[in-house]
Amino acid sequence: MIRLAFAIIAGVLLGGVVHLVSVLALPRIATQDAYSRMMPLAKLNAVTPLPAADPNNTLMPYMDPAFASAVCRYDLSGGPIKLTVPVSQAYTSVSFYTRNDVAYYAINDRSAGRRVIELDLMTEAQHSALPEDEDVTAADRLIIDSPSVTGLIVLKALAPEPGLMGQAQASLAAANCRVAPPEATPAKR
Amino acid sequence: MRLIFITLLALIIATVVGLGATWLTATRGTELGTLTIGAWTARPRTGTSEIDPYARASIARSGELPVGTGDGVAFTASTDDKKRPLDGRCDVVVSGVTPAARFWTLTLYDRKGQLVANSLQRYGFTSQEIVRGSDGGFEIRIASRSRAGNWLPTGALERYVLMLRLYDTPVGVATRSQRDAPMPSISTVGCP
């Protein structure tokens, strides 16, 4: 009897460990997470428009039907990414996700403060390798550090009325996401 | 022989308890870091890198992408203000005001997060297309049959979820109560 009670207590305690390990492991082993769903349709280091949210579109759950969206699946191993997104009439936002779908940064048109959202995305190592006195690191260039080498950039443009969806899609079609050529700026001094 | 049996039993209990708890928390969610105002709940921290492990697990399982904090915040409701589950065969009224935001959208989903098909192709409202009263308040009627004013069709679905997303808003991790974020009320007004 004592042994049986021991087995149950040990089982429950061990169960707690199993629970913690499995919760932490789930994002790594999930095969139907957002990044995996994007894999087949999103080109690497290029902007791919996403199909409009409608009842037959099972790409991702909880998509906002009022938005036109596009995605850039990035891989920073070949160098930093340069992203330019023209601002649409109503509202435009750019969100960054790691390979494991953690939203680590998001910016909207107003906080970007101009007609085109321009960003440089790089890993922390690439950022620290930038020459310090380079004037492009000044305020006119926004640099984002990606915690992971691969991930997703989601571009969204709002169509406040259904009739404006075409406009929102057109403004995203003009967005650009590409590997920036290594800057050929040898020391200016 | 008995030792083997006891060990095996302990391992089986461990597997069932551990994986069962994980499945429950990943599908139903946890109370960690939730902001509840009336019938609405949000998890502002899921849009940041400080997302908790339970929210990460549930996002990985469902396959959604959370709204980033610099973009906005998403509130969901699956019951009305009286904790009655939202029923697509009933008339539900969402009325009042929304927290400060540049834009908001209200969308109706089934329990898996898919939009509900209807002949109008209307899946929700944006703050701009809504018809408002003279005081700036609004009233959205959610029903299976057409209604006057802001009508959102349910397709007579038994259970559905409402999602109110606020874009470019001060509401977020620091928000605590109704006073910071006045959310619209949800009430069931009639059931056939």
Side-chain angles (χ1 to χ4, degrees), chain A residues 84-103:
Chain A
T84 50
V85 185
V87 165
S88 74
Q89 281 193 351
Y91 175 84
T92 309
S93 74
V94 181
S95 316
F96 295 80
Y97 300 88
T98 66
R99 166 65 189 86
N100 292 314
D101 314 304
V102 174

Side-chain angles (χ1 to χ4, degrees), chain A residues 5-133:
Chain A
F6 175 75
I8 291 173
I9 292 169
V12 170
L13 288 180
L14 212 58
V17 177
V18 170
H19 169 59
L20 289 181
V21 169
S22 57
V23 163
L24 293 177
L26 197 64
R28 285 172 209 289
I29 57 177
T31 53
Q32 281 299 301
D33 68 320
Y35 187 92
S36 314
R37 287 166 184 237
M38 296 288 178
M39 251 335 216
L41 84 162
K43 284 172 275 185
L44 193 62
N45 295 336
V47 177
T48 315
L50 291 183
D54 71 55
N56 304 317
N57 174 3
T58 51
L59 178 65
M60 275 195 295
Y62 300 110
M63 281 174 81
D64 196 332
F67 277 83
S69 42
V71 69
C72 168
R73 186 163 65 88
Y74 66 81
D75 183 346
L76 297 172
S77 52
I81 293 273
K82 219 174 195 14
L83 178 78
T84 50
V85 185
V87 165
S88 74
Q89 281 193 351
Y91 175 84
T92 309
S93 74
V94 181
S95 316
F96 295 80
Y97 300 88
T98 66
R99 166 65 189 86
N100 292 314
D101 314 304
V102 174
Y104 61 91
Y105 188 77
I107 189 171
N108 62 51
D109 49 2
R110 189 168 287 175
S111 39
R114 49 184 102 165
R115 301 305 306 158
V116 179
I117 303 176
E118 277 186 292
L119 299 164
D120 289 271
L121 182 70
M122 52 189 78
T123 61
E124 271 157 45
Q126 286 163 348
H127 193 174
S128 51
L130 277 184
E132 241 176 63
D133 61 330

Side-chain angles (χ1 to χ4, degrees), chain A residues 155-166:
Chain A
L155 323 172
K156 295 194 298 183
L158 176 69
E161 288 159 37
L164 299 174
M165 186 52 99

Side-chain angles (χ1 to χ4, degrees), chain B residues 37-40 81 93-99 104 106 138 164 166 178 181-186:
Chain B
I37 298 173
W40 302 93
D81 288 344
V93 170
V94 177
S95 63
V97 288
T98 52
W104 55 257
L106 180 82
F138 62 86
L164 180 71
L166 309 169
Q178 174 88 25
M183 297 296 290
S185 67
I186 307 175

